[in-house]
Amino acid sequence: MSLIPSFFGNRRSSVFDPFSLDVWDPFRDFPLSASSFPSAVSSQFPGEASAFVNTRVDWKETPEAHVFKADLPGLRKEEVKVEVEDDRVLQISGQRNIEKEDKSDTWHRVERSSGMFSRRFRLPENAKMDRIKASMENGVLTVTVPKAEEAKKANVRAIQISG
């Protein structure tokens, strides 16, 4: 009994007939192969996967605060939610709605994404959870999380030991 034919599923084809070649795909049965990725993501998340994936967020730390900036062009602040969970998780989410189609319209290209998006960030221990502020201007959401002041280090001085 040969292992090779059973490993490849007993596929037999003629090497000389290019139309009967059955190319072995090592990722064919893999749950998230490159060809099935968009459909797998869109089946798990309602709406288009591109809106979920393409929400860009910058996180910078200054001496006073952690600052998050998210590009959300075309969205109003009413379409965006900023939430903080008890275990120090900041969540930015929302939904970009699809434009209503008119039967007489002819679409040549659709590149803007629509659907739900969500991004989550675990905040560090020094975040002041009760002082978080958010603002939105020109399609850019800015979330500012102030930092707690670090405890001052005790002033330590060396003592001479006599003897």
Side-chain angles (χ1 to χ4, degrees), residues 13-113:
S13 60
S14 171
V15 177
F16 302 107
D17 183 4
F19 299 108
S20 71
L21 278 179
D22 191 10
V23 178
W24 178 62
D25 180 8
F27 300 107
R28 178 180 303 215
D29 297 322
F30 193 68
L32 286 178
S33 64
S35 60
S36 70
F37 181 72
S39 62
V41 170
S42 62
S43 68
Q44 290 178 356
F45 302 102
E48 286 190 22
S50 59
F52 178 77
V53 174
N54 286 332
T55 304
R56 306 284 190 219
V57 179
D58 294 338
W59 176 1
K60 73 176 178 179
E61 182 177 355
T62 67
E64 298 83 25
H66 296 274
V67 180
F68 297 84
K69 290 193 178 216
D71 288 340
L72 304 171
L75 289 182
R76 298 182 317 253
K77 66 180 182 178
E78 295 81 21
E79 297 172 314
V80 178
K81 279 199 289 188
V82 178
E83 300 170 318
V84 178
E85 296 175 8
D86 291 335
D87 53 350
R88 300 185 165 278
V89 176
L90 172 70
Q91 178 171 313
I92 301 170
S93 61
Q95 184 166 352
R96 186 173 289 136
N97 296 321
I98 300 173
E99 286 188 30
K100 296 190 189 245
E101 289 187 33
D102 189 4
K103 296 288 182 189
S104 64
D105 290 345
T106 302
W107 290 85
H108 294 282
R109 185 176 299 265
V110 178
E111 292 183 343
R112 296 183 304 147
S113 59

